[in-house]
Each structure stands twice: as C-alpha cells, then as structure tokens.
Amino acid sequence: MRYGFTTGSCAAAAAKASAYMLLTGKEKRTITIDTPKGIPFDAVIEEITREEFRVSCAVRKDGGDDPDVTTGALIFAEVSLVGEESGFKGGKILIDGGLGVGRVTKAGLDQPVGNAAINHVPREMITKEVEEICELTDYHGKIRVVISVPHGEMLAEKTFNPKLGITGGISILGTTGIVEPMSSQALLETIRVELNVKKEGGQKAVAVTPGNYGQAFMKNAYKYDLDRSVKCSNFIGDVIDMASEAGFEEMLLTGHVGKLVKLSGGMMNTHSKEGDCRMELMMAAGIQAGISLKAAKDILTCVSTEEAVRILKEYGKVMETMEIIMDKACYYLNKRAAGRLHIECIMYANDFGELAKSKDAEKLLKKIKEVEV
C-alpha cells in the first residue's frame, strides 16, 4: 500500500517554499524536505501569493492509501519578515496557526493551552526547513510562519479534536512525517492523547470501551454515555499500559461480550486477526458451569456470541457461565495491569442487556460519573 505525508510535512514544505520565495525573490513550484523518517518529500507548490514582505503558498495533503479526512486539503504557510519593533521575543522563527488550525483549550496535549495545535515535531520540521533557507540566503532577521487550512474547522468535526478540547480547526500532526496506511500506531497515539487529557482534567479513574456497541444499554441501565469513555478499539492491553503510564489509579472497562469474552482467554488484543476463540471460550465456561454435551456442541456451531448467549439461556446457564467468563477476564486484565492500576469490568449483549459485572464495577462507574460532571 502507498504511504503518504503528514500535515506536518505539508506545513514544513509550504513554509520552506514560502521562505525561499520571500528571501530570494524567485518563484518556486516544487520543493523537497527531509522527513524525520528519513524519506524525502518532493512537494508540489500551489496557490502562490507573493508580496514584498510576505509570501504564501500551499501543499496539498496526500495521505496515501490511509483513509485520512485531511487528504486533499491545502495546507498553507504564510511567511513574513518581522521587525525588531514588533516585540517578537524568543527564537528566530515564530510559528502560529491561522484559519482552520485548532487552538488548545485543555491541558495534557502536545502543546500548552492557548497555543495553536501544531505539534512539536511539525514545529521542529518547520523551523529546520526555514532556517535552512535563511542560511542559504544569509538572512539573520526574524521570521513569522502562520499555518492555515481552509475548511479546517469543518474537517475537524470528523476528528477527535472537539472531544480533546481543540477548537477552531484541525491539528498539524506527525512524528515521522509519513502516513502509513491503517497505522495502528497512529490510533494508539490518539488514544494516549485522550487519556492524558482526561488525567490532566483531574480524573484518577478512567472509563474505557472498545467502541459504541451497547451505547443504548449503558444509557438505559447506568445513565452513562459511552461517548465519554476512551475508545480503545481492540488494543485493551496497550490501553492498560498507557493508562498506567498516564498515572490513573483505576480503570473501568465496559464492552460487548463479543470482545470481552476473548479476555477470559488472556487475549489483550481482540482483533480477529490475532485470534478468534470466542465460541471455544464460551463453551469451556459453559462446561465449567454445567451445560450438557449437546449445549456445548451447539455453542461451537454459533457464528455470533449473541447466538451463543441465547443457547446458554435456553439451558438456564447464562448467569453461571458469564460469571466464570467475567472472573477469568478480570484475572487477565489485572494481571496485565500488574498492580499499577485496579480494573473493574461490565459486560453486556445487545439482546440480553447486562451479562456480568465485577464486584466494584458499579461503584467505580459512579465515581467516574461524579468527576466527569
């Protein structure tokens, strides 16, 4: 699959091209930058606007084969000369965000509250590339770089930014400068950021869920909106590690039996490519709970866990089986946590509601709800 380039790479390339045109007086239609990954980015320059003391241009974001909402967006960089009378203090290059670039409103993110949501690696890339042009042209003054993204505020609605407290637009991101197709690392970093934001908001306990499966159940049963939970996707083990590293003391995992039953077998990544032993685990727990050989065989022929629960219900063994699954799941969850944080769990099914919960799960949920209000 084809890799792409991050918004940070696009911003750095546009800034370098604008700086070149401003300081040399020559037009530039292509430019090359070095990404932190070591892969050069040969960028095509668009939308050039040249004035005596400022130049603006854009690079179009190409996310490769990754389904990125920012692919196709123009990332603009306006570069201008700054006089001493401006009061500009600090380094030689001032970087800020303009239209369509978000502002940080919550602690725990890459940038402090009030800053433009341009992460530190893109800032370093922009600084490096612009300084290279300054050295090339023997310019020793100060320069201002403003990154903007038309329609960035609209694009941000399709990202995690509103939930993270980044308002007014998208973030300028990237740690390697490269977008790898369907990068699990990118998703994990997004989860890490959300955990950090919640921790900085004063929470000592965090609610985590694989997704919104069961949203209606949680609202009806516990008056809790799953949108307030951190979505861990299939990365339950990784999120336990990250929650511990962020300093959380407790974690509540809520989820559908189809995901959480895998935990009873010690699987900390619940993606089907890592293994699918749902029916075997449900059958084993059912046998331990006293189901018949026929019931065990029936469960093994099921294609969904909802269907397997229905069979257990027919044989009158749902509660006993689910308690066994919950006990084993909690054992492996807390084994992964290794004393770094305490974990409680709630498991449910769409057609049957709550199937099982750990001893103090409801108490922990109440504590989380009180802090989130």
Side-chain angles (χ1 to χ4, degrees), residues 180-296:
E180 298 182 39
M182 299 299 292
S183 170
S184 60
Q185 189 59 41
L187 178 55
L188 285 169
E189 288 305 313
T190 301
I191 296 169
R192 186 188 298 278
V193 168
E194 188 172 359
L195 285 168
N196 288 338
V197 168
K198 286 186 177 291
K199 186 65 177 65
E200 289 294 328
Q203 292 181 225
K204 294 182 179 179
V206 62
V208 172
T209 184
N212 282 334
Y213 228 47
Q215 181 141 17
F217 163 74
M218 287 300 291
K219 280 186 177 179
N220 293 334
Y222 290 106
K223 305 295 185 289
Y224 186 74
D225 188 346
L226 281 182
D227 280 340
R228 299 165 77 174
S229 293
V230 174
K231 305 299 188 300
C232 67
S233 184
N234 295 296
F235 305 105
I236 294 172
D238 290 295
V239 171
I240 291 172
D241 297 340
M242 291 190 286
S244 170
E245 291 164 10
F248 285 101
E249 298 173 2
E250 297 176 286
M251 177 178 129
L252 173 66
L253 176 66
T254 65
H256 187 271
V257 61
K259 288 285 186 188
L260 300 196
V261 68
K262 294 183 180 183
L263 298 175
S264 68
M267 296 178 65
M268 291 291 114
N269 185 323
T270 58
H271 197 288
S272 58
K273 72 180 181 181
E274 300 293 332
D276 186 4
C277 51
R278 295 168 300 159
M279 302 314 159
E280 290 82 356
L281 288 167
M282 290 189 78
M283 179 200 68
I287 290 173
Q288 191 174 347
I291 63 173
S292 66
L293 177 59
K294 182 179 185 310

Side-chain angles (χ1 to χ4, degrees), residues 5 8 27 32-33 78 80-81 128 132 198 215 218 231 239-240 244 255-256 265 269 279 290 292 306 313-314 350 369:
F5 293 91
E27 190 168 281
T32 300
I33 67 164
E78 180 187 273
S80 57
L81 305 182
K128 172 182 174 293
E132 183 180 305
K198 286 186 177 291
Q215 181 141 17
M218 287 300 291
K231 305 299 188 300
V239 171
I240 291 172
S244 170
H256 187 271
N269 185 323
M279 302 314 159
S292 66
E306 295 270 346
K313 187 176 179 66
E314 289 175 6
N350 291 338
K369 286 166 67 177

Side-chain angles (χ1 to χ4, degrees), residues 82 84 86-94 142:
V82 180
E84 294 297 331
S86 68
F88 167 23
K89 296 179 180 178
K92 183 176 180 178
I93 297 167
L94 172 67
K142 295 179 181 290

